[in-house]
Amino acid sequence: MYSWHAQDYQNLATNIKKHSFNALLVHGAANSGRAELINELIKFALCQSPQDLNACGKCSSCILWNEGNHPDITSLVADSSEERKSLQIKVEQVREIIDFASKSRHLSPRKIIHIPDAMQLNLNSANALLKILEEPVPECIFILQTNNINKLLPTIKSRCFKYQLAHPRWSEALAVVQENNLDNAEFWLRYFHGEPLFIPPFENHELVQLRTTLLKPSIDAIFALVKELDPKRVGMAQLLDFMFKWLSDLLLVKQGSAANYFAEDTEDMHKLVVKINYDKLFNLQENLVFLTLWSEHPLNHKLQFENLLFKYQQIYV
Ligand SMILES: [Zn+2]
């Protein structure tokens, strides 16, 4: 668990101890150690002889938890082997969870149902889940996590104890990134909104090639980029995210501000944005949104990426 979550841990563990809620919804800090914090909390909630607000680490519950083999906790996650636009938890899975909740505990003081990504609930599975959230089973806690609480169904939110995690300070986050001797540490940290536990999506030379191509989108440069950065290898979602951020910076520069993610390119962007056609740029953004929804789907991403880059070239008229 990271130092900036110490207070969050105290707050949440105290509330678990006091039985303040049957369902907890934790949001924020997706790449800032949320998973580590939740793991600590679950271990504490399951522990048979907690020491104040910490798990003992020695009881059978703690041992089973460390082995990843605890019978009083289950996770509700979408089946990632399915080909769909987005990963979704199914109603049948929620029924299995309700069954799990109704059975008696094995060894821990409470049972836990963990939903690491509540955004995977669709309308049907969320409605199925509501029933059990409305009539909670004693000694059974739901722990839900989400990156974007605004996109969750209000009915789910209203039945949960909502908790927003602290964000690390810039200096704390940078220290974590620098420990890993990462090149362009400050650039990537800005790119990932100050949340330090990211994996850089591109190698150094790839980052340079992406930036230079977007600064000078010639036909040759576009073909060379698509050849070098095959979306199948680097991930379409990563390329789309890069382009989103680049376009949002172009708009900032066009409005007279400094670029946010690509601060070093602000000056070069100034020269570029003189020729920008807004309609074409917004149209390109819509294309990006559409493709993001399908980024896990096996389309011909190489062709899609190439098309996007040619459309990008066309926004300068
Ligand atoms: Zn223990």
Side-chain angles (χ1 to χ4, degrees):
M1 197 176 78
Y2 290 87
S3 54
W4 53 82
H5 280 153
Q7 189 57 51
D8 291 329
Y9 180 85
Q10 292 285 318
N11 296 345
L12 290 171
T14 306
N15 278 298
I16 287 175
K17 195 176 173 182
K18 288 196 299 193
H19 304 273
S20 309
F21 48 70
N22 289 96
L24 167 68
L25 172 60
V26 178
H27 58 108
N31 287 316
S32 296
R34 188 175 73 209
E36 287 80 355
L37 169 75
I38 296 292
N39 278 345
E40 283 298 311
L41 268 182
I42 290 176
K43 189 173 173 181
F44 163 71
L46 292 172
C47 177
Q48 292 164 302
S49 49
Q51 318 287 304
D52 191 21
L53 290 177
N54 293 299
C56 73
K58 294 180 210 137
C59 68
S60 344
S61 169
C62 284
I63 290 167
L64 285 170
W65 168 252
N66 287 342
E67 289 170 353
N69 200 16
H70 202 296
D72 287 325
I73 173 165
T74 188
S75 290
L76 186 54
V77 285
D79 181 355
S80 58
S81 65
E82 286 192 3
E83 248 179 43
R84 322 180 51 126
K85 192 168 74 171
S86 59
L87 290 173
Q88 297 185 346
I89 291 168
K90 292 188 195 151
V91 175
E92 302 86 81
Q93 289 179 277
V94 177
R95 292 208 185 104
E96 283 168 23
I97 288 296
I98 293 173
D99 193 44
F100 169 86
S102 67
K103 288 188 178 136
S104 52
R105 289 173 282 124
H106 286 88
L107 66 155
S108 286
R110 51 182 76 80
K111 279 192 293 186
I112 292 181
I113 294 164
H114 183 205
I115 308 179
D117 182 2
M119 289 300 295
Q120 292 182 341
L121 292 162
N122 60 24
L123 194 60
N124 292 334
S125 52
N127 279 333
L129 188 68
L130 273 182
K131 282 184 200 132
I132 191 163
L133 291 181
E134 277 163 358
E135 292 162 29
V137 178
E139 312 303 349
C140 180
I141 305 183
F142 284 79
I143 298 184
L144 294 81
Q145 300 185 51
T146 186
N147 292 345
N148 191 344
I149 194 167
N150 298 319
K151 285 193 182 166
L152 271 191
L153 282 178
T155 42
I156 292 279
K157 279 190 276 189
S158 68
R159 280 157 186 85
C160 293
F161 179 92
K162 293 172 283 295
Y163 191 91
Q164 179 167 19
L165 294 181
H167 210 274
R169 280 194 293 268
W170 178 263
S171 57
E172 291 173 315
L174 191 60
V176 170
V177 180
Q178 282 169 339
E179 249 173 52
N180 301 324
N181 285 323
L182 186 73
D183 288 326
N184 301 314
E186 295 204 37
F187 166 76
W188 286 121
L189 190 56
R190 268 199 315 275
Y191 188 90
F192 287 104
H193 310 281
E195 298 202 17
L197 303 178
F198 55 81
I199 297 168
F202 308 112
E203 304 274 346
N204 257 342
H205 69 276
E206 295 171 337
L207 175 62
V208 172
Q209 195 178 359
L210 270 165
R211 284 168 53 194
T212 47
T213 305
L214 294 180
L215 283 173
K216 281 199 182 118
S218 70
I219 293 176
D220 286 350
I222 290 174
F223 279 132
L225 180 67
V226 175
K227 198 175 165 207
E228 182 70 30
L229 280 167
D230 184 349
K232 227 179 195 168
R233 179 176 60 81
V234 298
M236 189 62 173
Q238 273 69 22
L239 291 167
L240 293 171
D241 186 36
F242 193 93
M243 289 194 70
F244 263 121
K245 285 170 175 162
W246 183 269
L247 293 185
S248 83
D249 268 4
L250 281 179
L251 284 170
L252 278 179
V253 172
K254 179 83 178 168
Q255 287 152 14
S257 312
N260 178 22
Y261 306 108
F262 302 94
E264 287 170 45
D265 296 317
T266 299
E267 227 168 275
D268 288 328
M269 282 183 169
H270 264 298
K271 294 171 206 154
L272 266 183
V273 296
V274 179
K275 300 176 286 180
I276 266 185
N277 176 315
Y278 274 116
D279 285 343
K280 288 183 178 174
L281 187 144
F282 295 144
N283 191 273
L284 177 60
Q285 278 181 324
E286 278 171 25
N287 279 223
L288 290 176
V289 171
F290 176 79
L291 283 170
T292 301
L293 292 172
W294 291 92
S295 63
E296 302 299 326
H297 202 271
L299 296 168
N300 185 340
H301 288 310
K302 202 166 176 176
L303 199 64
Q304 301 284 350
F305 184 41
E306 200 173 274
N307 283 342
L308 282 178
L309 290 168
F310 282 120
K311 278 193 181 166
Y312 169 76
Q313 189 192 40
Q314 297 301 313
I315 68 172
Y316 305 105
V317 287

